[in-house]
């Protein structure tokens, strides 16, 4: 299996569908694993890649495209389990599920320097990340700001507001309305550095998002604010708590159809 993906990274940036398939075939992959179990497009791409072995669980209409098919469970099942289900037919069965992300020594030193520069204490700072992949999945910015303001005024706790690409203005808005107790995080040079920052927080408040998964992986306790089922997408582990807004969509109906 080639160690490096085709130049250009994410397949969506590789140009046309025909160009994508051509470049995937040039890599001569031995194995394709489709984790997008709701997506017919992803299943077809895995098949067209030319990989000799292809693993996936769904959708049911594409079962014939896989050489190694995992059961497609009905009802609620966390995405952690669904992804690991897909690996089982390949003989990969973990004994224990422990989310993990690597932080280098350089990442840790950079994060320590950021905390020192802002006078933040490890383990007593509350991290917040108001961004999400789309607005419908995000708790409103003014509510993040109000929560940050109350934490700083009533408890004296500093709130550290993190952000990713395209989210700086949102984070600045939260900090501006939260008051003096809220501090804007600097841009992070890489995922490991971001994870090292989150690891220093005593609590992390965020939407169901990539940063939520990072916090899980560095074992920072979470309060996760969701618009989809926590049984499917919520934080994984007993130390975390979820708050779902009413009228949460069924991730096996509307979202699954959109993904296809």
């Amino acid at each position: 299996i080639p160690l490096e993906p085709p130049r250009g990274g994410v397949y969506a940036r590789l140009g046309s569908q025909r160009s994508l398939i051509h470049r995937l075939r040039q890599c001569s992959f031995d194995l394709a694993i489709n984790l997008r179990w709701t997506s017919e497009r992803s299943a077809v791409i895995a098949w067209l890649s030319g990989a000799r072995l292809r693993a996936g669980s769904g959708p049911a209409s594409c079962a014939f495209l896989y050489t190694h098919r995992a059961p497609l469970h009905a009802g609620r099942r966390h995405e952690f389990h669904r992804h690991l289900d897909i690996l089982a037919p390949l003989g990969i069965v973990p004994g224990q599920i422990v989310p993990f992300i690597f932080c280098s020594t350089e990442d840790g030193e950079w994060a320590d320097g950021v905390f020192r520069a802002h006078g933040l204490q490890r383990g007593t700072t509350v991290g917040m990340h108001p961004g999400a992949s789309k607005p419908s999945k995000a708790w409103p910015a003014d509510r993040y700001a109000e929560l940050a303001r109350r934490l700083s005024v009533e408890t004296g706790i500093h709130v550290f507001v993190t952000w990713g690409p395209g989210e700086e203005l949102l984070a600045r808005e939260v900090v501006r309305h939260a008051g003096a107790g809220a501090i804007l995080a600097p841009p992070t040079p890489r995922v490991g550095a971001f994870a090292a920052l989150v690891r220093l927080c005593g609590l992390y408040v965020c939407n169901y998002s990539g940063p939520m998964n990072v916090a899980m992986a560095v074992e920072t306790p979470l309060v996760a604010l969701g618009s989809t089922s926590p049984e499917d997408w919520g934080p994984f582990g007993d130390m975390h708590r979820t708050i779902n807004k009413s009228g949460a969509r069924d991730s096996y109906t509307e979202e699954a159809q959109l993904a296809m």
Side-chain angles (χ1 to χ4, degrees), residues 13 21-22 24 30 50 109 118 146 165 190 193 201 214 223:
R13 299 176 181 174
I21 300 306
H22 175 70
L24 287 176
D30 298 307
E109 292 175 348
H118 291 286
E146 176 62 15
R190 54 195 166 271
C201 297
V214 170
V223 175

Side-chain angles (χ1 to χ4, degrees), residues 54-181:
R54 301 175 301 280
S57 62
S61 58
C62 296
F64 67 98
L65 297 177
Y66 302 118
T67 61
H68 293 67
R69 187 191 175 198
L72 181 58
H73 292 274
R76 298 297 180 199
R77 188 166 178 79
H78 199 281
E79 290 296 300
F80 268 59
H81 293 301
R82 288 192 178 274
H83 289 170
L84 291 172
D85 288 344
I86 294 170
L87 301 180
L90 299 168
I92 304 172
V93 182
Q96 186 178 7
I97 303 175
V98 181
F100 173 79
I101 188 169
F102 175 73
C103 298
S104 67
T105 301
E106 181 184 2
D107 293 331
E109 292 175 348
W110 179 84
D112 287 339
V114 170
F115 263 51
R116 284 195 304 271
H118 291 286
L120 301 173
Q121 297 295 317
R122 177 173 186 159
T124 61
T125 297
V126 174
M128 283 189 182
H129 195 102
S133 59
K134 51 187 176 182
S136 62
K137 291 188 175 183
W139 204 40
D142 61 334
R143 297 184 188 179
Y144 272 106
E146 176 62 15
L147 176 59
R149 188 192 65 78
R150 290 190 184 186
L151 284 171
S152 62
V153 170
E154 297 175 12
T155 69
I157 289 175
H158 284 101
V159 176
F160 193 55
V161 182
T162 59
W163 52 279
E167 297 173 343
E168 183 176 3
L169 292 180
L170 173 64
R172 287 187 179 278
E173 178 184 354
V174 170
V175 170
R176 184 174 69 254
H177 291 289

Side-chain angles (χ1 to χ4, degrees), residues 128-132 136-140 143-144 147 204-209 212 222-228 230 233-235 241-245:
M128 283 189 182
H129 195 102
S136 62
K137 291 188 175 183
W139 204 40
R143 297 184 188 179
Y144 272 106
L147 176 59
Y204 202 61
V205 183
C206 61
N207 305 299
Y208 286 8
S209 58
M212 179 192 77
L222 274 162
V223 175
L225 307 162
S227 60
T228 53
W233 298 98
R241 297 293 180 266
T242 61
I243 300 175
N244 267 49
K245 64 184 183 182

Side-chain angles (χ1 to χ4, degrees), residues 5-11 13-14 23:
R7 292 188 63 187
V10 180
Y11 71 80
R13 299 176 181 174
L14 293 181
R23 298 184 70 173

Side-chain angles (χ1 to χ4, degrees), residues 40 83 240:
E40 290 181 348
H83 289 170
H240 310 301

